Structures are given as structure tokens and as C-alpha cells.
Amino acid sequence: MYVDPPAPRPKAVDERPPATSSGPLDNQPTAWEFNPEYQRLVIAWQSVLPQLETLRTTLDKAFNLARSPQTWDAPVGERYVQDIREWRARLAVYRHAVLTAISDEAHDTPRWIPAKTNAPHAFP
């Protein structure tokens, strides 16, 4: 069994951008915006997780029904139980891979980026 990796955090209502910039422009006012790439990862996580849960719940229900002695009255039933057990294991590996990929990408993506709106331009 796998434990889900940390989910990307959506922007909180009271969350503020970084107070100062780092580098040669320290103490210069910088406009910040919530990174749209990070927001896409938050949305991806929130859309994928319910679908994975639905698949897991459906397979668990089928697995429990297949294991019931009232469902199968022949030795061939164990083969179907084994197949469903394998599907459940594959789904767990798939879930872990997908959520880890999103989580790793979110970890490497900055939450805030400098906004381009206040950048000076040499030519209009």
C-alpha cells in the first residue's frame, strides 16, 4: 500500500506574495502573481484524485463481491479474484505514480513569480 505524496497547496484567501525580492534589485518594489503553472498542478491534482478514488472504490466493491462465497460456486472463481487483486495492485501503483509526478512537479515549481505588468520597457 502506498501513501499519497503531499498535494500542491491552492492559494489561500489571505496568502500574500513574497515581501522582498532577492538579487541585485533588493528593496525595489516588485509585483508578484500566483504562478499559473503551479495553479494548473493544483487543478490537475484536484481533478485526478476523485477519479482515482472512484476507480479504487469500484474495484474494492468488485473484489469484496468476488470473494463472497455466495458469488462463486466453482473453483474458477478464485481466478477472477486473483485478476481483480492484480488490477487493484496495478491501480495502486498507477495512483502513486500519477500523484507523485504531480507532487514532484509542484515541489519544483515556484508558487509566486514576478508579474510582467510593472516591468519597464525600452520601446512601447
Side-chain angles (χ1 to χ4, degrees):
M1 189 68 180
Y2 296 101
V3 176
D4 287 345
R9 293 179 297 123
K11 182 182 174 206
V13 175
D14 59 345
E15 185 176 358
R16 299 270 184 206
T20 60
S21 63
S22 61
L25 299 176
D26 281 344
N27 301 323
Q28 296 292 323
T30 303
W32 295 91
E33 66 177 329
F34 196 73
N35 191 347
E37 293 298 319
Y38 191 89
Q39 182 63 30
R40 281 191 202 92
L41 294 169
V42 171
I43 292 169
W45 182 283
Q46 292 172 345
S47 63
V48 164
L49 191 61
Q51 294 174 5
L52 290 170
E53 282 297 319
T54 300
L55 287 171
R56 186 188 59 80
T57 303
T58 303
L59 275 177
D60 287 348
K61 182 178 177 183
F63 181 71
N64 291 333
L65 286 172
R67 285 183 18 194
S68 171
Q70 288 109 7
T71 304
W72 302 107
D73 195 17
V76 73
E78 184 58 32
R79 185 178 68 205
Y80 294 111
V81 171
Q82 288 290 60
D83 286 347
I84 296 172
R85 185 178 290 127
E86 184 177 325
W87 296 337
R88 289 173 68 208
R90 287 181 184 179
L91 179 62
V93 170
Y94 178 74
R95 174 189 176 117
H96 183 70
V98 168
L99 294 181
T100 299
I102 294 171
S103 180
D104 288 351
E105 186 69 25
H107 183 267
D108 295 339
T109 304
R111 289 175 58 79
W112 294 91
I113 57 174
K116 297 179 177 118
T117 55
N118 292 338
H121 298 286
F123 302 102

